[in-house]
Amino acid sequence: MFTHAITRLPGENFADGITTSTLGRPGYPLILEQHWAYRQALQNLGLEVILLPAEPGFPDAYFVEDPAIVTPGLAVICNPGALSRRGEGITLEPVLKEYRPVAHIQPPGTLEGGDVLCAEDHFFIGLSERTNQEGAAQLTALLEPTGYTCITIPVAAGLHLKSGVNYVGSNTLLVTSSLAEHPAFTRYQKILIDPEEEYAANTLLVNGTLLTPRGFPKTRAELVRLGKPVIELDVSEVQKMDGGLTCMSLRF
Ligand code: CIR
């Protein structure tokens, strides 16, 4: 069970963050509303939600999932592959230190939390434009002694590994077709995402409830079939910045 979530307020300049999206420029009042609803949903699921102030120097910093990883025994400050995001971990570190011992990914290793997917006692680490083999090896060396197994997965499409696959409990992965056939996923049940709904692969399991982006009815119907409560959240402005539901919090 998660008891805490760290979040960060999007700054007024959040639209200056990195994006490949062609959905248009996002609006500030609307992302604040969507971020509030997201925090509220986590709180309703029993989490204490920590809200950090915006970081004007780092427009992507409200995607707190990328600069750090938290496991039951450890917090890891990442070295993001995106140059404009290096340094986001500095203000997260003192907060994480209140809860966990903190380790660091060192250059030339790069790693972003969006590439790190935990399924029970196993970690999948995406090798992407943001996360390299050296970063993955450093994380593996930190996690394996604490009882986890780790495996790397090449990310050919999308920003991060979790843009294309997420664990939804019950030994089941919600996965896009480009990742579904990876041999590391053989032992899981799979919900294959409809090609028109790929964004919904970024669905978040929190204490037995699934948070999924609004507007993806086929995925929603599949998730409902799993028998867990499903909550839809509008994250249109977050999607415009290539982000999603997992990216906006560190759960532990
Ligand atoms: C970036 O490109 O770094 C941000 N605009 C989006 C990060 C999304 N994070 C995530 O998927 N974990």
Side-chain angles (χ1 to χ4, degrees), residues 2-229:
F2 294 129
T3 53
H4 292 78
I6 298 176
T7 64
R8 186 188 289 288
L9 206 64
E12 281 181 45
N13 63 348
F14 83 103
D16 298 336
I18 310 167
T19 188
T20 58
S21 156
T22 51
L23 296 169
R25 197 167 167 88
Y28 193 50
L30 190 49
I31 199 167
L32 287 183
E33 211 174 284
Q34 294 177 351
H35 197 264
W36 178 86
Y38 176 76
R39 298 196 310 270
Q40 207 60 35
L42 294 176
Q43 209 169 303
N44 291 343
L45 294 171
L47 279 68
E48 180 185 323
V49 178
I50 298 158
L51 177 62
L52 303 177
E55 279 246 55
F58 296 100
D60 277 320
Y62 61 104
F63 294 124
V64 284
E65 177 180 70
D66 296 320
I69 292 150
V70 189
T71 72
L74 186 69
V76 180
I77 302 290
C78 301
N79 181 37
L83 290 177
S84 66
R85 303 200 59 188
R86 288 194 189 158
E88 289 180 13
I90 294 170
T91 49
L92 278 177
E93 185 164 349
V95 183
L96 289 168
K97 269 196 175 141
E98 290 177 31
Y99 301 95
R100 299 282 190 276
V102 174
H104 294 83
I105 300 297
Q106 307 288 353
T110 64
L111 184 83
E112 295 191 3
D115 281 318
V116 181
L117 172 62
C118 184
E120 312 293 350
D121 55 359
H122 187 66
F123 277 88
F124 298 100
I125 309 173
L127 298 177
S128 68
E129 285 182 10
R130 304 290 182 87
T131 296
N132 64 16
Q133 188 73 55
E134 168 63 24
Q138 288 182 29
L139 183 65
T140 302
L142 290 166
L143 295 180
E144 287 197 336
T146 70
Y148 292 98
T149 49
C150 299
I151 191 168
T152 55
I153 310 272
V155 179
L159 175 58
H160 288 121
L161 180 66
K162 283 189 280 191
S163 315
V165 57
N166 281 277
Y167 183 64
V168 290
S170 316
N171 199 47
T172 304
L173 295 171
L174 180 62
V175 62
T176 56
S177 56
S178 68
L179 284 165
E181 298 312 319
H182 193 284
F185 298 148
T186 315
R187 69 185 172 95
Y188 295 88
Q189 307 287 324
K190 283 171 214 132
I191 299 176
L192 200 58
I193 289 269
D194 184 282
E196 284 170 13
E197 298 199 356
E198 293 213 331
Y199 180 72
N202 195 259
T203 284
L204 173 62
L205 175 67
V206 179
N207 295 351
T209 291
L210 291 163
L211 303 182
T212 196
R214 179 163 299 155
F216 301 91
K218 291 179 191 158
T219 306
R220 185 183 182 282
E222 293 284 348
L223 294 174
V224 166
R225 240 169 262 147
L226 279 178
K228 298 180 184 6

